[in-house]
Amino acid sequence: EATFRLVDDVRTRAVYPFAFELSATYRLDGPRLSVEVTVANHDRRPMPAALGFHPAFRWPLPGGPVEREAYSLTFAEDEPEPVRRPVEGGLLGPEQASPVRGRRLALADGLFTDGALVFERAASRSLIYGAAHGPSLRIDWPGMPSLGIWTKPGAGFVCVEPWQGYADHQGYAGTLAAKPGMIILPPGTERRFGFSVTLQP
């Protein structure tokens, strides 16, 4: 395992004017990789915060089928809620119908022609990524309400990103603290976020 820490300094305070500490611990236990991030507010004021993970996984998976369309994401729960996609400037556009059918999202390059799929209110906190045959990955993200899924068409990876917070909605003009998805940490408190990936033969 390894832990990395970031503590505020003059450079961070120029863009994020709060006293904080961010620590990330990566732990490997057999076929399971877990990541835990702690955000601590060392300021005297409430601190708005958001955090998202950014893992990418080989697509296709080594040892599995070579056809990209053989792969899917199978959610732990049905995912009927609408999704959003990014628009110009990295903002989130209007809601669209979910491409998930029940619990299954079939992966294909055409799915990402218009950019990432953003699940602001994901029902699931885990999914299985893989094909009908070969190895698969179980991805768990307890305690994180949102999810981003994306790739660049033709790239050799797919990202499955658990989030607390996300980009602004198109037209949003509020404050950082009022932005949807943000959390507010009282002075002297901390919040932990985590996800894990387990290799399943």
Side-chain angles (χ1 to χ4, degrees), residues 3 11 28 32 36 50 67-68 103 145 178 192-193:
T3 298
R11 292 171 298 173
L28 190 60
R32 183 173 186 263
E36 183 178 86
E67 300 83 8
R68 291 164 68 83
R103 297 189 302 130
R192 293 182 181 180
F193 305 91

Side-chain angles (χ1 to χ4, degrees), residues 73-142:
L73 303 177
T74 304
F75 291 87
E77 307 289 341
D78 288 349
E79 294 292 346
E81 290 286 332
V83 300
R84 294 182 188 264
R85 289 184 183 270
V87 294
E88 185 177 354
L91 303 174
L92 293 183
E95 291 185 338
Q96 304 177 11
S98 174
V100 179
R101 296 297 169 255
R103 297 189 302 130
R104 184 175 181 270
L105 177 65
L107 293 178
D109 284 308
L111 184 63
F112 302 102
T113 301
D114 295 327
L117 296 171
V118 177
F119 297 76
E120 292 179 327
R121 303 176 296 276
S124 302
R125 294 296 180 267
S126 68
L127 61 75
I128 304 294
Y129 161 51
H133 305 287
S136 63
L137 300 177
R138 178 186 169 102
I139 305 168
D140 292 270
W141 62 93

Side-chain angles (χ1 to χ4, degrees), residues 12-59:
T12 66
R13 289 191 293 272
V15 293
Y16 182 65
F18 297 94
F20 72 92
E21 181 175 328
L22 180 75
S23 63
T25 297
Y26 294 77
R27 182 176 295 109
L28 190 60
D29 183 13
R32 183 173 186 263
L33 171 69
S34 60
V35 183
E36 183 178 86
V37 172
T38 301
V39 181
N41 180 3
H42 295 322
D43 213 287
R44 296 180 180 179
R45 304 166 291 161
M47 183 178 80
L51 188 131
F53 293 104
H54 188 52
F57 306 99
R58 288 284 302 274
W59 179 27

